[in-house]
Amino acid sequence: GQQLNQSPQSMFIQEGEDVSMNCTSSSIFNTWLWYKQDPGEGPVLLIALYKAGELTSNGRLTAQFGITRKDSFLNISASIPSDVGIYFCAGFRGNQFYFGTGTSLTVIP
Amino acid sequence: GAVVSQHPSRVICKSGTSVKIECRSLDFQATTMFWYRQFPKQSLMLMATSNEGSKATYEQGVEKDKFLINHASLTLSTLTVTSAHPEDSSFYICSARDPGRNTEAFFGQGTRLTVV
C-alpha cells in the first residue's frame, strides 16, 4: 500500500531541545494521525487532526493538518528521555490508513 | 477508552506448525480490524482488512491461504499463520477502528513471532 513521505528518518537531539518532523503526500487525506511506537510495542495514538489548518496540542506535542490536506507536522517541545521512540504519521482516506515511513528519535540526556 | 488487546505478545513455533494470534477490542465494538506486519526499523505493512461477518480483504502479495483471518465477532479478530516458515518470523500488529471515532485506529501491543 501507499506510504507517506516522512522526514527526517532519524534524529539525535539533546534533552531539552525542540523536535520537528513532517509528513507529505501526493494525495489528499481527510484525517491525519500521529503515533509513537516504543520497541516491541504497538503504536500509540498521540494526536488526531480532522480539519485542514487545524492545530492541536497534547501536552508538549503540537501537530498541524496542512492547508492543502497533503501534509502534516508534529512538534515536540522541551524533549525528555522518554520521548525516545519511532514516530509515525498516518493519513486516513477511503476506509484505509496509510502510514509514514517513520522518524526514529533519540534523546541524549 | 479504545483499548485493543493482542495475544500472545511473543510466540516461538516450529517450522510447519500453525500459530494463532488474537486481537480484541476491549471497550468498543470494531466492525473493521487491520492486520499489519512490521520488519525491523521499518513502517507498518498492511496485510489485510478484516470485516466482521465477512471475508477479509487481503493486500496484493499476501497469501490468504497462509495468513487466515477470521473476524467472527465485533470484538475479536484472529490471524492464523499456517505452515509457518522461518521467513514468516516478524512482528505482527493488529488495529481496530472505533465507530465512535471513525477515523482513528487503535493498535494492539503486537506479537513477535519466531519460527525455528
Side-chain angles (χ1 to χ4, degrees):
Chain A
Q2 175 189 347
Q3 282 196 332
L4 307 179
N5 299 313
Q6 188 173 342
S7 65
Q9 184 177 4
S10 63
M11 302 181 74
F12 293 81
I13 62 170
Q14 293 281 356
E15 182 178 357
E17 290 184 354
D18 297 343
V19 172
S20 185
M21 60 191 78
N22 68 81
C23 230
T24 60
S25 169
S26 58
S27 305
I28 290 173
F29 286 102
N30 301 319
T31 300
W32 281 94
L33 307 164
W34 284 93
Y35 291 87
K36 182 191 177 202
Q37 185 178 26
D38 292 326
E41 300 287 335
V44 174
L45 180 65
L46 300 173
I47 292 179
L49 303 158
Y50 303 104
K51 295 180 183 178
E54 179 182 353
L55 185 72
T56 297
S57 293
N58 178 8
R60 293 179 295 107
L61 278 60
T62 302
Q64 185 158 29
F65 192 142
I67 290 291
T68 65
R69 295 168 64 191
K70 294 182 180 180
D71 64 326
S72 177
F73 72 74
L74 174 70
N75 286 344
I76 305 173
S77 63
S79 59
I80 59 178
S82 61
D83 290 334
V84 165
I86 301 179
Y87 292 79
F88 290 102
C89 63
F92 177 79
R93 181 183 67 242
N95 198 37
Q96 283 285 358
F97 294 91
Y98 299 87
F99 286 86
T101 46
T103 296
S104 174
L105 177 63
T106 301
V107 179
I108 303 168
Chain B
V3 178
V4 177
S5 178
Q6 188 173 339
H7 178 80
S9 57
R10 293 177 180 271
V11 59
I12 301 173
C13 71
K14 292 184 178 180
S15 290
T17 62
S18 296
V19 173
K20 181 185 285 188
I21 302 170
E22 294 187 346
C23 183
R24 295 180 184 274
S25 57
L26 298 186
D27 52 358
F28 65 98
Q29 294 183 326
T31 54
T32 304
M33 290 186 175
F34 304 90
W35 287 96
Y36 298 87
R37 184 172 180 175
Q38 187 177 33
F39 294 101
K41 300 187 185 300
Q42 293 192 21
S43 187
L44 304 163
M45 183 185 77
L46 180 65
M47 299 174 65
T49 301
S50 167
N51 296 298
E52 187 268 337
S54 64
K55 291 184 179 180
T57 302
Y58 289 81
E59 294 299 298
Q60 190 173 7
V62 178
E63 299 176 60
K64 62 180 181 180
D65 294 331
K66 180 166 185 63
F67 299 100
L68 299 179
I69 291 173
N70 184 283
H71 193 159
S73 80
L74 287 171
T75 59
L76 174 64
S77 176
T78 60
L79 167 67
T80 301
V81 183
T82 63
S83 187
H85 290 169
E87 56 264 33
D88 297 327
S89 299
S90 191
F91 193 57
Y92 294 88
I93 314 175
C94 70
S95 75
R97 285 173 58 182
D98 181 347
R101 291 185 275 190
N102 206 32
T103 56
E104 296 176 14
F106 299 91
F107 286 85
Q109 303 93 322
T111 298
R112 170 68 61 190
L113 171 63
T114 304
V115 184
V116 298

